[in-house]
mmCIF file of all heavy atoms in Angstrom:
data_model
loop_
_atom_site.group_PDB
_atom_site.id
_atom_site.type_symbol
_atom_site.label_atom_id
_atom_site.label_comp_id
_atom_site.label_asym_id
_atom_site.label_seq_id
_atom_site.Cartn_x
_atom_site.Cartn_y
_atom_site.Cartn_z
ATOM 1 N N LEU G 26 99.378 107.156 83.104
ATOM 2 C CA LEU G 26 99.274 106.848 84.489
ATOM 3 C C LEU G 26 97.928 107.419 85.031
ATOM 4 O O LEU G 26 97.264 106.801 85.870
ATOM 5 C CB LEU G 26 100.495 107.567 85.328
ATOM 6 C CG LEU G 26 100.530 107.369 86.713
ATOM 7 C CD1 LEU G 26 100.331 105.972 87.194
ATOM 8 C CD2 LEU G 26 101.671 108.124 87.393
ATOM 9 N N ARG G 48 105.647 108.590 80.079
ATOM 10 C CA ARG G 48 106.065 107.273 80.473
ATOM 11 C C ARG G 48 106.087 107.026 82.012
ATOM 12 O O ARG G 48 106.413 107.902 82.712
ATOM 13 C CB ARG G 48 107.484 107.072 79.843
ATOM 14 C CG ARG G 48 107.418 107.336 78.418
ATOM 15 C CD ARG G 48 108.741 106.903 77.853
ATOM 16 N NE ARG G 48 109.051 105.550 78.314
ATOM 17 C CZ ARG G 48 109.460 104.566 77.550
ATOM 18 N NH1 ARG G 48 109.653 104.785 76.304
ATOM 19 N NH2 ARG G 48 109.722 103.358 77.972
ATOM 20 N N PHE G 49 105.764 105.814 82.357
ATOM 21 C CA PHE G 49 105.741 105.470 83.776
ATOM 22 C C PHE G 49 105.967 104.024 83.916
ATOM 23 O O PHE G 49 105.880 103.224 82.945
ATOM 24 C CB PHE G 49 104.426 105.902 84.496
ATOM 25 C CG PHE G 49 103.267 105.054 84.191
ATOM 26 C CD1 PHE G 49 102.960 103.926 84.934
ATOM 27 C CD2 PHE G 49 102.533 105.302 82.989
ATOM 28 C CE1 PHE G 49 101.866 103.103 84.575
ATOM 29 C CE2 PHE G 49 101.377 104.488 82.688
ATOM 30 C CZ PHE G 49 100.980 103.415 83.501
ATOM 31 N N THR G 50 106.475 103.578 85.070
ATOM 32 C CA THR G 50 106.716 102.214 85.401
ATOM 33 C C THR G 50 105.891 101.777 86.594
ATOM 34 O O THR G 50 105.866 102.545 87.681
ATOM 35 C CB THR G 50 108.156 102.052 85.657
ATOM 36 O OG1 THR G 50 108.913 102.272 84.536
ATOM 37 C CG2 THR G 50 108.406 100.597 86.068
ATOM 38 N N LEU G 51 105.203 100.730 86.535
ATOM 39 C CA LEU G 51 104.429 100.170 87.622
ATOM 40 C C LEU G 51 105.207 98.823 87.843
ATOM 41 O O LEU G 51 105.326 98.030 87.069
ATOM 42 C CB LEU G 51 103.011 99.909 87.329
ATOM 43 C CG LEU G 51 102.105 99.136 88.336
ATOM 44 C CD1 LEU G 51 102.119 99.931 89.687
ATOM 45 C CD2 LEU G 51 100.782 98.953 87.719
ATOM 46 N N GLY G 52 105.617 98.695 89.200
ATOM 47 C CA GLY G 52 106.439 97.445 89.476
ATOM 48 C C GLY G 52 106.299 96.986 90.880
ATOM 49 O O GLY G 52 105.597 97.723 91.577
ATOM 50 N N VAL G 63 105.439 99.878 93.474
ATOM 51 C CA VAL G 63 105.990 101.205 93.326
ATOM 52 C C VAL G 63 105.454 101.688 91.977
ATOM 53 O O VAL G 63 105.276 100.901 91.075
ATOM 54 C CB VAL G 63 107.482 101.240 93.325
ATOM 55 C CG1 VAL G 63 107.998 100.836 94.699
ATOM 56 C CG2 VAL G 63 108.043 100.327 92.328
ATOM 57 N N ILE G 64 105.327 102.949 91.863
ATOM 58 C CA ILE G 64 105.020 103.659 90.656
ATOM 59 C C ILE G 64 106.072 104.653 90.491
ATOM 60 O O ILE G 64 106.462 105.459 91.340
ATOM 61 C CB ILE G 64 103.605 104.329 90.629
ATOM 62 C CG1 ILE G 64 102.571 103.253 90.723
ATOM 63 C CG2 ILE G 64 103.439 105.175 89.368
ATOM 64 C CD1 ILE G 64 101.143 103.831 90.905
ATOM 65 N N ILE G 65 106.736 104.646 89.224
ATOM 66 C CA ILE G 65 107.890 105.593 88.993
ATOM 67 C C ILE G 65 107.276 106.412 87.679
ATOM 68 O O ILE G 65 106.965 105.705 86.674
ATOM 69 C CB ILE G 65 109.118 104.928 88.639
ATOM 70 C CG1 ILE G 65 109.462 104.035 89.853
ATOM 71 C CG2 ILE G 65 110.190 105.925 88.366
ATOM 72 C CD1 ILE G 65 110.483 102.959 89.624
ATOM 73 N N VAL G 66 107.338 107.668 87.816
ATOM 74 C CA VAL G 66 106.796 108.501 86.623
ATOM 75 C C VAL G 66 107.708 109.728 86.346
ATOM 76 O O VAL G 66 108.115 110.324 87.419
ATOM 77 C CB VAL G 66 105.345 108.863 86.871
ATOM 78 C CG1 VAL G 66 105.112 109.772 88.065
ATOM 79 C CG2 VAL G 66 104.765 109.634 85.617
ATOM 80 N N SER G 67 108.022 109.948 85.124
ATOM 81 C CA SER G 67 108.772 111.195 84.784
ATOM 82 C C SER G 67 107.774 112.345 84.989
ATOM 83 O O SER G 67 106.592 112.213 84.983
ATOM 84 C CB SER G 67 109.287 111.104 83.449
ATOM 85 O OG SER G 67 108.179 111.024 82.451
ATOM 86 N N VAL G 159 116.179 105.551 83.212
ATOM 87 C CA VAL G 159 115.767 106.055 81.897
ATOM 88 C C VAL G 159 114.220 105.704 81.817
ATOM 89 O O VAL G 159 113.863 104.526 81.944
ATOM 90 C CB VAL G 159 116.464 105.320 80.745
ATOM 91 C CG1 VAL G 159 115.901 105.714 79.327
ATOM 92 C CG2 VAL G 159 117.894 105.567 80.891
ATOM 93 N N LEU G 160 113.380 106.714 81.723
ATOM 94 C CA LEU G 160 111.966 106.469 81.595
ATOM 95 C C LEU G 160 111.426 106.668 80.246
ATOM 96 O O LEU G 160 111.991 107.563 79.481
ATOM 97 C CB LEU G 160 111.219 107.313 82.561
ATOM 98 C CG LEU G 160 111.260 106.864 84.071
ATOM 99 C CD1 LEU G 160 110.431 107.868 84.838
ATOM 100 C CD2 LEU G 160 110.682 105.468 84.210
#
Side-chain angles (χ1 to χ4, degrees):
L26 178 57
R48 299 192 55 135
F49 72 96
T50 298
L51 172 62
V63 294
I64 296 174
I65 304 164
V66 62
S67 61
V159 178
L160 287 179

